[in-house]
Amino acid sequence: ATQLLVPLQLHEAGFSASATGFVFAIAAGAYIVVSATIVRLGGRAITPRISAVACLLLAVSLLPAVLHGGAVAVIGALVLSAAGRGAVNTISYPLGARSEATHEVGEGVVMGILNSGWAVGFVLAPLIAGWLDELAGPGPAWLIAVIPGALGALLMLRSARAPSFAPCRAGLGASQ
């Protein structure tokens, strides 16, 4: 949804294409910094609880755009959500690989499920957000991006309580 809504709202606020591109570059920088930090922390950062926090922060970071929708709120939502996506994306693959080892499901299956989930979101989110933006305005359209993060947080918290989950003690993706 952000790929559609941010350019639309910034254009409406008078931002040029190059200024919008600069905003996306800043967001990419936030993604890279967070992702690199998680990689540096290694297995200590790869837990369902930390994943739940990352999902929740991703959802909460979009609320300014849901509630206000001005250029500053939209830019803040984009940059903060990019940081949240950096955490969620970096944690999800090693966490999925560890789950694969715990539940004896093929790693390819787990990675395929993750990639399919991202792909479905990339296809459906802009379609639904565009439809909602035309129907009810940008606030409800942004809400479409909040829901997956909130649901992800709930699922990760549920997973953290599962007795079969083995914490990662070594590097990224190492299973115990």
Side-chain angles (χ1 to χ4, degrees):
T2 56
Q3 302 91 331
L4 172 71
L5 296 173
V6 170
L8 288 174
Q9 288 184 264
L10 292 183
H11 177 75
E12 190 175 293
F15 280 62
S16 67
S18 60
T20 300
F22 183 72
V23 169
F24 271 91
I26 291 170
Y31 181 103
I32 291 166
V33 167
V34 170
S35 182
T37 300
I38 289 170
V39 168
R40 179 79 176 116
L41 290 171
R44 295 171 293 172
I46 310 302
T47 69
R49 281 190 178 87
I50 292 176
S51 181
V53 169
C55 288
L56 188 60
L57 289 175
L58 174 57
V60 169
S61 71
L62 296 169
L63 289 177
V66 171
L67 301 172
H68 185 269
V72 172
V74 168
I75 292 169
L78 175 66
V79 173
L80 292 174
S81 70
R85 278 191 306 279
V88 170
N89 292 351
T90 305
I91 292 170
S92 63
Y93 287 98
L95 194 61
R98 192 159 1 115
S99 176
E100 161 270 322
T102 303
H103 300 291
E104 298 179 10
V105 176
E107 188 172 309
V109 171
V110 172
M111 297 306 137
I113 290 169
L114 281 169
N115 285 334
S116 296
W118 301 136
V120 167
F122 279 124
V123 170
L124 293 182
L127 293 172
I128 295 169
W131 175 74
L132 279 173
D133 185 50
E134 288 179 358
L135 185 69
W142 276 101
L143 192 57
I144 252 330
V146 172
I147 294 168
L151 289 175
L154 291 173
L155 289 171
M156 286 293 98
L157 286 174
R158 183 174 177 261
S159 172
R161 285 181 255 163
S164 63
F165 189 83
C168 183
R169 301 199 193 289
L172 284 173
S175 54
Q176 197 64 6

